[in-house]
Amino acid sequence: MSAEAFDVAVVGGGLHGLSAALHLARTGRRVTVIERRWTGRHASGATAAGVRTLGRDIAEIPISLEAMAMWHRIADIVGDPCGFHAHGQLRVAETGEHMPALLQREAKIRSLGYAHEEIIDAAELRRLVPALSPHCVGALVARRDGAADPHRTILAFRRACEAENVAIVEDCGLEAVDRQGDDWLLVCGQRRFRAPVVVNAAGAWAARLAALFGDEIALGVRASMMIVTERLAPLLAPVVSVVGRALSFKQSDQGTLVIGGGLQGAADLDRERSSVDFTELAKGARAASDLFPAVRGVRIARCWTGIEAQTHDHLPVIGASPNAPGLFHAFGFSGHGFQLVPVVGAILTDLVVEGTTRREIAAFAPRRLMQERVAA
Ligand SMILES: Cc1cc2nc3c(=O)[nH]c(=O)nc-3n(C[C@H](O)[C@H](O)[C@H](O)COP(=O)(O)OP(=O)(O)OC[C@H]3O[C@@H](n4cnc5c(N)ncnc54)[C@H](O)[C@@H]3O)c2cc1C
Protein backbone atom coordinates (compact mmCIF):
# COMPACT_ATOMS: atom_id res chain seq x y z
CA MET A 1 0.00 0.00 0.00
CA SER A 2 1.50 3.37 -0.97
CA ALA A 3 1.88 6.03 1.68
CA GLU A 4 0.86 9.68 1.31
CA ALA A 5 4.06 11.73 1.68
CA PHE A 6 4.39 14.99 3.64
CA ASP A 7 7.20 17.06 5.16
CA VAL A 8 5.39 17.12 8.51
CA ALA A 9 2.62 14.96 9.96
CA VAL A 10 0.84 16.51 12.93
CA VAL A 11 -1.04 13.93 15.00
CA GLY A 12 -4.01 15.46 16.81
CA GLY A 13 -6.47 17.97 15.40
CA GLY A 14 -7.01 20.03 18.52
CA LEU A 15 -5.98 23.67 18.60
CA HIS A 16 -2.33 22.88 19.29
CA GLY A 17 -2.16 20.53 16.30
CA LEU A 18 -3.85 23.09 14.07
CA SER A 19 -1.61 25.91 15.29
CA ALA A 20 1.54 23.86 14.68
CA ALA A 21 0.29 22.90 11.23
CA LEU A 22 -0.54 26.50 10.35
CA HIS A 23 2.83 27.91 11.37
CA LEU A 24 4.72 25.09 9.67
CA ALA A 25 2.73 25.37 6.45
CA ARG A 26 3.57 29.07 6.33
CA THR A 27 7.25 28.13 6.03
CA GLY A 28 6.42 26.23 2.85
CA ARG A 29 6.30 22.75 4.41
CA ARG A 30 3.75 20.23 3.12
CA VAL A 31 1.76 19.43 6.25
CA THR A 32 -0.98 17.00 7.19
CA VAL A 33 -3.06 16.92 10.37
CA ILE A 34 -4.16 13.40 11.31
CA GLU A 35 -7.13 13.41 13.70
CA ARG A 36 -8.80 10.30 15.12
CA ARG A 37 -12.27 11.90 15.38
CA TRP A 38 -12.79 15.48 14.20
CA THR A 39 -11.02 18.78 14.76
CA GLY A 40 -11.80 20.11 18.21
CA ARG A 41 -13.41 16.86 19.42
CA HIS A 42 -11.66 16.87 22.78
CA ALA A 43 -10.14 19.54 25.06
CA SER A 44 -10.14 22.26 22.40
CA GLY A 45 -13.87 21.86 21.85
CA ALA A 46 -14.67 21.61 25.56
CA THR A 47 -12.52 24.48 26.78
CA ALA A 48 -13.65 27.55 28.69
CA ALA A 49 -11.37 29.53 26.33
CA GLY A 50 -10.04 31.85 28.99
CA VAL A 51 -7.07 33.84 27.66
CA ARG A 52 -5.12 34.29 30.86
CA THR A 53 -1.63 35.41 31.81
CA LEU A 54 -2.81 36.00 35.39
CA GLY A 55 -1.31 33.60 37.92
CA ARG A 56 0.79 31.64 35.44
CA ASP A 57 3.68 29.53 36.66
CA ILE A 58 6.81 31.69 36.50
CA ALA A 59 8.30 29.38 33.86
CA GLU A 60 5.29 29.96 31.60
CA ILE A 61 5.19 33.76 31.86
CA PRO A 62 7.51 34.58 28.89
CA ILE A 63 5.60 32.42 26.38
CA SER A 64 2.24 33.37 27.91
CA LEU A 65 3.00 37.09 27.46
CA GLU A 66 4.05 36.46 23.87
CA ALA A 67 0.86 34.46 23.30
CA MET A 68 -1.14 37.35 24.76
CA ALA A 69 0.44 39.78 22.30
CA MET A 70 -0.56 37.35 19.54
CA TRP A 71 -4.16 37.16 20.83
CA HIS A 72 -4.34 40.95 20.56
CA ARG A 73 -3.66 40.60 16.82
CA ILE A 74 -5.25 37.20 16.32
CA ALA A 75 -7.27 38.34 13.30
CA ASP A 76 -3.99 39.11 11.50
CA ILE A 77 -2.77 35.58 12.28
CA VAL A 78 -5.84 33.46 11.46
CA GLY A 79 -8.11 35.85 9.56
CA ASP A 80 -10.82 36.03 12.24
CA PRO A 81 -11.02 37.72 15.68
CA CYS A 82 -11.96 34.36 17.28
CA GLY A 83 -14.45 36.13 19.55
CA PHE A 84 -11.53 37.40 21.65
CA HIS A 85 -12.25 40.27 24.04
CA ALA A 86 -9.63 41.70 26.38
CA HIS A 87 -11.93 42.58 29.27
CA GLY A 88 -9.34 41.46 31.84
CA GLN A 89 -9.12 38.60 34.29
CA LEU A 90 -9.33 39.06 38.07
CA ARG A 91 -8.45 36.87 41.02
CA VAL A 92 -10.67 38.04 43.86
CA ALA A 93 -10.01 38.01 47.61
CA GLU A 94 -13.21 37.43 49.60
CA THR A 95 -11.61 38.32 52.93
CA GLY A 96 -8.58 40.23 54.21
CA GLU A 97 -6.91 36.88 54.92
CA HIS A 98 -6.76 36.22 51.18
CA MET A 99 -4.98 39.47 50.31
CA PRO A 100 -1.42 38.57 51.47
CA ALA A 101 -1.18 35.75 48.89
CA LEU A 102 -2.18 38.17 46.14
CA LEU A 103 0.19 40.87 47.38
CA GLN A 104 3.05 38.37 47.53
CA ARG A 105 2.31 37.21 44.01
CA GLU A 106 2.34 40.77 42.68
CA ALA A 107 5.61 41.51 44.50
CA LYS A 108 7.17 38.31 43.16
CA ILE A 109 6.38 38.96 39.54
CA ARG A 110 7.41 42.63 39.83
CA SER A 111 10.76 41.53 41.29
CA LEU A 112 11.22 39.47 38.12
CA GLY A 113 10.56 42.53 35.96
CA TYR A 114 6.95 41.83 34.98
CA ALA A 115 4.11 44.32 35.35
CA HIS A 116 1.06 42.56 33.93
CA GLU A 117 -0.51 41.67 37.31
CA GLU A 118 -1.73 44.53 39.48
CA ILE A 119 -3.36 44.72 42.93
CA ILE A 120 -6.63 46.62 43.08
CA ASP A 121 -8.66 47.69 46.10
CA ALA A 122 -12.35 47.12 46.82
CA ALA A 123 -13.43 50.38 45.13
CA GLU A 124 -11.66 49.55 41.84
CA LEU A 125 -12.98 45.99 42.05
CA ARG A 126 -16.52 47.32 42.42
CA ARG A 127 -15.95 49.61 39.40
CA LEU A 128 -14.72 46.73 37.24
CA VAL A 129 -17.31 44.15 38.39
CA PRO A 130 -20.36 45.89 39.91
CA ALA A 131 -22.27 42.60 40.13
CA LEU A 132 -19.72 41.08 42.53
CA SER A 133 -20.86 40.50 46.09
CA PRO A 134 -19.93 43.50 48.31
CA HIS A 135 -18.08 41.25 50.78
CA CYS A 136 -15.07 40.98 48.40
CA VAL A 137 -12.12 43.14 49.51
CA GLY A 138 -9.70 43.35 46.57
CA ALA A 139 -8.15 41.46 43.68
CA LEU A 140 -5.20 40.85 41.44
CA VAL A 141 -5.98 41.90 37.87
CA ALA A 142 -4.37 41.32 34.47
CA ARG A 143 -6.08 43.97 32.40
CA ARG A 144 -5.00 42.72 28.93
CA ASP A 145 -6.32 39.20 29.62
CA GLY A 146 -9.73 38.06 28.45
CA ALA A 147 -11.54 35.19 26.77
CA ALA A 148 -12.36 33.95 23.27
CA ASP A 149 -15.02 31.84 21.59
CA PRO A 150 -13.58 28.31 21.45
CA HIS A 151 -15.58 27.05 18.48
CA ARG A 152 -14.97 30.15 16.44
CA THR A 153 -11.27 29.79 17.29
CA ILE A 154 -11.17 26.17 16.09
CA LEU A 155 -12.93 27.13 12.87
CA ALA A 156 -10.57 30.06 12.32
CA PHE A 157 -7.44 27.95 12.82
CA ARG A 158 -8.86 25.20 10.62
CA ARG A 159 -9.75 27.58 7.81
CA ALA A 160 -6.35 29.26 8.04
CA CYS A 161 -4.73 25.80 7.77
CA GLU A 162 -6.83 24.94 4.74
CA ALA A 163 -5.88 28.24 3.11
CA GLU A 164 -2.23 27.13 3.47
CA ASN A 165 -3.05 23.74 1.87
CA VAL A 166 -2.71 21.74 5.08
CA ALA A 167 -4.33 18.33 4.48
CA ILE A 168 -6.69 17.76 7.42
CA VAL A 169 -7.60 14.09 7.67
CA GLU A 170 -10.37 13.18 10.13
CA ASP A 171 -11.70 9.80 11.34
CA CYS A 172 -8.10 8.68 11.10
CA GLY A 173 -6.33 7.43 14.22
CA LEU A 174 -2.62 6.70 14.31
CA GLU A 175 -2.18 3.10 15.42
CA ALA A 176 1.42 2.12 14.66
CA VAL A 177 4.66 3.58 13.37
CA ASP A 178 7.67 2.23 11.57
CA ARG A 179 11.01 3.74 10.58
CA GLN A 180 11.73 3.76 6.84
CA GLY A 181 14.98 5.48 5.94
CA ASP A 182 14.72 9.07 7.19
CA ASP A 183 10.92 8.91 7.34
CA TRP A 184 8.35 7.77 9.83
CA LEU A 185 5.68 5.53 8.34
CA LEU A 186 2.38 6.21 10.11
CA VAL A 187 -0.20 3.44 10.03
CA CYS A 188 -3.78 4.69 10.44
CA GLY A 189 -6.27 1.91 9.67
CA GLN A 190 -6.24 1.46 5.91
CA ARG A 191 -4.27 4.63 5.28
CA ARG A 192 -0.52 5.17 5.38
CA PHE A 193 1.39 8.45 5.70
CA ARG A 194 5.10 9.12 5.63
CA ALA A 195 7.03 12.13 6.85
CA PRO A 196 10.47 12.84 8.31
CA VAL A 197 8.90 15.06 10.99
CA VAL A 198 6.02 14.16 13.31
CA VAL A 199 4.37 16.50 15.84
CA ASN A 200 2.68 14.76 18.76
CA ALA A 201 -0.30 16.98 19.63
CA ALA A 202 -2.53 14.11 20.79
CA GLY A 203 -3.74 15.77 23.99
CA ALA A 204 -4.79 13.32 26.69
CA TRP A 205 -3.53 10.40 24.56
CA ALA A 206 -0.12 11.93 23.88
CA ALA A 207 1.79 9.54 26.16
CA ARG A 208 0.31 6.59 24.26
CA LEU A 209 1.40 8.19 21.03
CA ALA A 210 4.87 8.93 22.38
CA ALA A 211 5.21 5.28 23.41
CA LEU A 212 4.74 4.19 19.78
CA PHE A 213 8.00 6.06 19.07
CA GLY A 214 9.77 4.66 22.13
CA ASP A 215 9.30 7.69 24.42
CA GLU A 216 7.92 6.60 27.79
CA ILE A 217 6.40 9.72 29.33
CA ALA A 218 4.66 9.84 32.72
CA LEU A 219 1.39 11.67 32.19
CA GLY A 220 -1.78 12.12 34.20
CA VAL A 221 -5.23 13.03 32.97
CA ARG A 222 -7.86 15.55 34.02
CA ALA A 223 -11.54 15.91 33.16
CA SER A 224 -12.47 19.51 33.95
CA MET A 225 -16.18 20.27 34.26
CA MET A 226 -18.11 23.26 32.95
CA ILE A 227 -21.58 24.76 33.44
CA VAL A 228 -23.38 27.05 31.03
CA THR A 229 -26.60 28.84 32.01
CA GLU A 230 -29.52 30.37 30.20
CA ARG A 231 -28.94 33.80 28.63
CA LEU A 232 -28.98 36.85 30.90
CA ALA A 233 -28.78 40.58 30.39
CA PRO A 234 -25.18 41.88 30.57
CA LEU A 235 -23.83 41.20 34.08
CA LEU A 236 -20.03 41.38 33.83
CA ALA A 237 -17.24 41.81 31.29
CA PRO A 238 -14.03 40.43 32.89
CA VAL A 239 -13.34 36.80 33.80
CA VAL A 240 -13.43 36.30 37.58
CA SER A 241 -11.68 33.65 39.67
CA VAL A 242 -11.41 33.61 43.44
CA VAL A 243 -8.77 32.69 46.01
CA GLY A 244 -9.42 29.38 47.76
CA ARG A 245 -12.29 28.20 45.56
CA ALA A 246 -12.45 26.37 42.24
CA LEU A 247 -14.31 29.03 40.29
CA SER A 248 -13.87 30.73 36.95
CA PHE A 249 -16.85 32.88 36.00
CA LYS A 250 -17.60 34.83 32.85
CA GLN A 251 -20.37 35.87 30.52
CA SER A 252 -20.28 34.98 26.84
CA ASP A 253 -21.18 37.35 24.01
CA GLN A 254 -24.52 35.52 23.80
CA GLY A 255 -25.31 36.33 27.46
CA THR A 256 -24.85 32.84 28.90
CA LEU A 257 -22.77 32.49 32.06
CA VAL A 258 -19.86 30.11 31.60
CA ILE A 259 -18.76 28.63 34.91
CA GLY A 260 -15.68 26.47 35.40
CA GLY A 261 -12.57 26.58 37.50
CA GLY A 262 -11.10 23.11 37.26
CA LEU A 263 -13.56 21.00 39.23
CA GLN A 264 -12.90 17.42 38.15
CA GLY A 265 -15.20 14.76 36.70
CA ALA A 266 -14.08 11.29 35.61
CA ALA A 267 -12.06 10.44 32.49
CA ASP A 268 -11.97 7.16 30.57
CA LEU A 269 -9.14 7.31 28.03
CA ASP A 270 -9.93 3.94 26.43
CA ARG A 271 -13.51 4.92 25.65
CA GLU A 272 -12.56 8.57 24.93
CA ARG A 273 -15.30 9.64 27.33
CA SER A 274 -15.57 11.73 30.45
CA SER A 275 -18.46 12.24 32.82
CA VAL A 276 -19.77 14.91 35.19
CA ASP A 277 -19.68 14.44 38.96
CA PHE A 278 -22.75 16.48 39.93
CA THR A 279 -21.95 16.56 43.65
CA GLU A 280 -18.57 18.07 42.88
CA LEU A 281 -20.00 20.40 40.25
CA ALA A 282 -22.51 21.76 42.76
CA LYS A 283 -19.53 23.36 44.55
CA GLY A 284 -18.91 25.46 41.45
CA ALA A 285 -22.54 26.55 41.25
CA ARG A 286 -22.44 27.40 44.96
CA ALA A 287 -19.27 29.47 44.59
CA ALA A 288 -20.81 31.33 41.62
CA SER A 289 -23.94 32.28 43.56
CA ASP A 290 -21.88 33.27 46.64
CA LEU A 291 -19.80 35.64 44.55
CA PHE A 292 -22.62 36.84 42.27
CA PRO A 293 -25.90 36.96 44.22
CA ALA A 294 -27.80 37.97 41.06
CA VAL A 295 -27.31 34.50 39.57
CA ARG A 296 -29.17 32.63 42.31
CA GLY A 297 -32.04 30.78 40.64
CA VAL A 298 -30.64 31.15 37.11
CA ARG A 299 -31.27 27.98 35.12
CA ILE A 300 -28.38 25.74 34.11
CA ALA A 301 -28.64 24.88 30.42
CA ARG A 302 -25.85 22.32 30.08
CA CYS A 303 -22.87 20.76 31.86
CA TRP A 304 -19.92 19.02 30.25
CA THR A 305 -16.41 17.74 30.75
CA GLY A 306 -13.33 17.65 28.55
CA ILE A 307 -10.34 15.33 28.75
CA GLU A 308 -6.82 16.66 28.85
CA ALA A 309 -3.33 15.52 29.81
CA GLN A 310 -1.86 16.73 33.09
CA THR A 311 1.80 16.69 34.04
CA HIS A 312 3.03 16.36 37.63
CA ASP A 313 4.36 19.95 37.63
CA HIS A 314 1.40 21.31 35.61
CA LEU A 315 3.80 22.60 32.96
CA PRO A 316 3.41 21.52 29.35
CA VAL A 317 5.69 19.23 27.39
CA ILE A 318 7.12 21.17 24.44
CA GLY A 319 10.23 20.02 22.66
CA ALA A 320 12.06 17.47 20.57
CA SER A 321 12.08 13.84 21.57
CA PRO A 322 15.49 12.91 23.00
CA ASN A 323 15.13 9.44 21.42
CA ALA A 324 13.14 9.50 18.21
CA PRO A 325 14.59 11.59 15.35
CA GLY A 326 12.12 14.08 13.90
CA LEU A 327 9.55 13.66 16.68
CA PHE A 328 8.36 16.81 18.49
CA HIS A 329 6.00 16.85 21.46
CA ALA A 330 3.38 19.49 22.40
CA PHE A 331 0.93 18.35 25.06
CA GLY A 332 0.32 18.22 28.81
CA PHE A 333 -1.17 21.70 29.03
CA SER A 334 -2.80 20.73 32.33
CA GLY A 335 -5.95 22.81 32.03
CA HIS A 336 -4.47 26.06 30.73
CA GLY A 337 -3.30 25.44 27.18
CA PHE A 338 -5.89 27.44 25.23
CA GLN A 339 -4.14 30.74 25.86
CA LEU A 340 -0.80 29.31 24.65
CA VAL A 341 -2.14 28.04 21.30
CA PRO A 342 -0.75 30.76 18.98
CA VAL A 343 2.76 30.77 20.44
CA VAL A 344 3.29 27.00 20.80
CA GLY A 345 2.77 26.53 17.06
CA ALA A 346 5.45 29.17 16.45
CA ILE A 347 7.82 27.45 18.91
CA LEU A 348 7.38 24.07 17.23
CA THR A 349 8.07 25.70 13.89
CA ASP A 350 11.34 27.13 15.25
CA LEU A 351 12.31 23.67 16.49
CA VAL A 352 11.44 21.92 13.24
CA VAL A 353 12.90 24.52 10.89
CA GLU A 354 15.86 25.91 12.87
CA GLY A 355 16.49 23.04 15.27
CA THR A 356 16.33 25.54 18.15
CA THR A 357 14.26 28.46 19.48
CA ARG A 358 14.97 31.81 21.12
CA ARG A 359 11.87 31.31 23.30
CA GLU A 360 12.35 30.10 26.88
CA ILE A 361 11.19 26.47 26.86
CA ALA A 362 13.81 24.65 28.98
CA ALA A 363 11.25 24.03 31.76
CA PHE A 364 9.01 22.17 29.30
CA ALA A 365 11.59 19.59 28.16
CA PRO A 366 10.07 16.14 27.54
CA ARG A 367 13.02 14.49 29.25
CA ARG A 368 11.89 15.69 32.71
CA LEU A 369 8.91 13.29 32.51
CA MET A 370 10.64 10.36 30.92
CA GLN A 371 11.02 7.27 32.98
CA GLU A 372 14.41 5.72 33.51
CA ARG A 373 14.90 3.01 30.96
CA VAL A 374 15.49 -0.35 32.54
CA ALA A 375 18.78 -1.73 31.28
CA ALA A 376 18.17 -4.75 29.09
C1 LIG B 1 -13.30 22.05 30.43
C2 LIG B 1 -12.00 22.69 30.06
C3 LIG B 1 -11.81 24.05 30.31
C4 LIG B 1 -10.60 24.67 29.95
N1 LIG B 1 -10.46 26.01 30.13
C5 LIG B 1 -9.33 26.63 29.72
C6 LIG B 1 -9.21 28.05 29.81
O1 LIG B 1 -10.12 28.75 30.25
N2 LIG B 1 -8.04 28.63 29.40
C7 LIG B 1 -6.99 27.88 28.91
O2 LIG B 1 -5.95 28.46 28.55
N3 LIG B 1 -7.11 26.54 28.76
C8 LIG B 1 -8.24 25.90 29.16
N4 LIG B 1 -8.37 24.55 29.03
C9 LIG B 1 -7.26 23.80 28.45
C10 LIG B 1 -7.23 23.87 26.92
O3 LIG B 1 -8.52 23.76 26.40
C11 LIG B 1 -6.32 22.77 26.41
O4 LIG B 1 -5.04 22.93 26.99
C12 LIG B 1 -6.18 22.76 24.90
O5 LIG B 1 -7.43 22.81 24.25
C13 LIG B 1 -5.43 21.51 24.49
O6 LIG B 1 -5.43 21.42 23.09
P1 LIG B 1 -4.75 20.19 22.38
O7 LIG B 1 -4.79 20.47 20.94
O8 LIG B 1 -3.41 19.93 23.02
O9 LIG B 1 -5.63 18.92 22.81
P2 LIG B 1 -7.04 18.38 22.20
O10 LIG B 1 -7.93 19.50 21.80
O11 LIG B 1 -7.57 17.38 23.18
O12 LIG B 1 -6.58 17.65 20.89
C14 LIG B 1 -5.92 16.42 20.87
C15 LIG B 1 -6.49 15.63 19.70
O13 LIG B 1 -5.67 14.49 19.46
C16 LIG B 1 -6.52 13.49 18.92
N5 LIG B 1 -5.84 12.19 19.02
C17 LIG B 1 -5.49 11.53 20.14
N6 LIG B 1 -4.88 10.38 19.84
C18 LIG B 1 -4.82 10.31 18.47
C19 LIG B 1 -4.32 9.34 17.55
N7 LIG B 1 -3.72 8.21 17.97
N8 LIG B 1 -4.43 9.59 16.23
C20 LIG B 1 -5.02 10.73 15.79
N9 LIG B 1 -5.52 11.68 16.62
C21 LIG B 1 -5.43 11.46 17.95
C22 LIG B 1 -7.77 13.61 19.77
O14 LIG B 1 -8.89 13.01 19.14
C23 LIG B 1 -7.89 15.11 19.95
O15 LIG B 1 -8.79 15.71 19.03
C24 LIG B 1 -9.56 23.90 29.38
C25 LIG B 1 -9.75 22.54 29.13
C26 LIG B 1 -10.96 21.94 29.47
C27 LIG B 1 -11.14 20.48 29.17
Side-chain angles (χ1 to χ4, degrees):
M1 186 183 301
S2 71
E4 299 163 59
F6 292 90
D7 298 320
V8 183
V10 177
V11 183
L15 278 166
H16 281 288
L18 293 172
S19 177
L22 177 62
H23 285 90
L24 282 158
R26 285 184 175 157
T27 69
R29 280 19 190 206
R30 292 169 306 150
V31 183
T32 184
V33 174
I34 298 169
E35 163 55 48
R36 184 159 56 195
R37 303 299 167 204
W38 60 87
T39 53
R41 163 64 183 89
H42 284 292
S44 300
T47 184
V51 180
R52 173 179 65 80
T53 60
L54 183 70
R56 287 264 167 190
D57 189 290
I58 300 298
E60 279 185 340
I61 292 177
I63 65 165
S64 182
L65 289 176
E66 187 178 351
M68 187 55 72
M70 294 171 92
W71 276 105
H72 279 260
R73 55 181 173 82
I74 197 73
D76 296 336
I77 298 170
V78 294
D80 185 274
C82 296
F84 172 65
H85 298 297
H87 291 313
Q89 291 224 5
L90 297 109
R91 188 150 183 79
V92 168
E94 289 188 81
T95 71
E97 287 170 18
H98 290 157
M99 284 304 290
L102 298 182
L103 288 160
Q104 280 163 21
R105 166 75 186 182
E106 190 208 32
K108 169 86 182 161
I109 72 149
R110 280 188 192 273
S111 75
L112 294 169
Y114 301 116
H116 59 285
E117 298 183 19
E118 175 195 335
I119 289 286
I120 56 171
D121 62 12
E124 175 66 351
L125 181 56
R126 210 77 62 232
R127 191 186 70 77
L128 291 176
V129 198
L132 194 66
S133 170
H135 76 272
C136 298
V137 297
L140 196 56
V141 63
R143 295 185 192 265
R144 281 170 59 80
D145 284 8
D149 176 331
H151 301 288
R152 193 164 167 173
T153 305
I154 293 165
L155 200 59
F157 272 85
R158 183 182 173 130
R159 285 190 175 145
C161 281
E162 287 167 342
E164 300 291 345
N165 293 318
V166 172
I168 297 175
V169 187
E170 295 173 299
D171 283 325
C172 189
L174 177 62
E175 292 157 3
V177 305
D178 196 8
R179 192 80 182 143
Q180 292 196 341
D182 289 338
D183 282 351
W184 290 103
L185 179 74
L186 307 180
V187 178
C188 309
Q190 297 303 307
R191 293 181 74 163
R192 303 282 181 276
F193 301 86
R194 57 185 303 154
V197 172
V198 176
V199 174
N200 174 9
W205 297 269
R208 295 183 180 190
L209 203 87
L212 296 178
F213 293 83
D215 279 354
E216 297 295 334
I217 295 183
L219 200 60
V221 64
R222 48 190 286 131
S224 298
M225 300 189 287
M226 299 293 306
I227 295 172
V228 66
T229 71
E230 62 185 316
R231 294 179 186 204
L232 302 182
L235 186 73
L236 80 164
V239 182
V240 172
S241 63
V242 57
V243 178
R245 302 213 212 196
L247 177 69
S248 157
F249 186 95
K250 63 172 171 278
Q251 189 167 28
S252 70
D253 285 354
Q254 296 77 26
T256 57
L257 300 176
V258 182
I259 303 170
L263 288 169
Q264 294 298 296
D268 182 337
L269 284 183
D270 292 333
R271 292 176 58 235
E272 295 177 47
R273 299 265 167 197
S274 54
S275 50
V276 172
D277 175 340
F278 284 97
T279 310
E280 192 64 11
L281 193 60
K283 292 180 190 165
R286 174 63 193 262
S289 57
D290 286 350
L291 270 288
F292 293 91
V295 313
R296 282 183 199 141
V298 168
R299 277 177 299 187
I300 290 174
R302 202 160 60 87
C303 308
W304 71 91
T305 50
I307 315 180
E308 186 174 17
Q310 177 162 293
T311 60
H312 73 81
D313 53 13
H314 292 207
L315 293 176
V317 176
I318 306 170
S321 160
N323 299 313
L327 176 65
F328 296 85
H329 297 298
F331 58 85
F333 294 96
S334 305
H336 46 266
F338 181 83
Q339 192 262 347
L340 299 175
V341 161
V343 76
V344 174
I347 292 169
L348 288 165
T349 301
D350 287 348
L351 296 177
V352 170
V353 174
E354 312 286 345
T356 184
T357 181
R358 65 175 171 77
R359 278 107 172 179
E360 294 173 41
I361 62 164
F364 316 136
R367 196 185 283 280
R368 78 189 196 282
L369 301 179
M370 296 182 71
Q371 291 158 358
E372 291 291 314
R373 297 203 162 206
V374 180

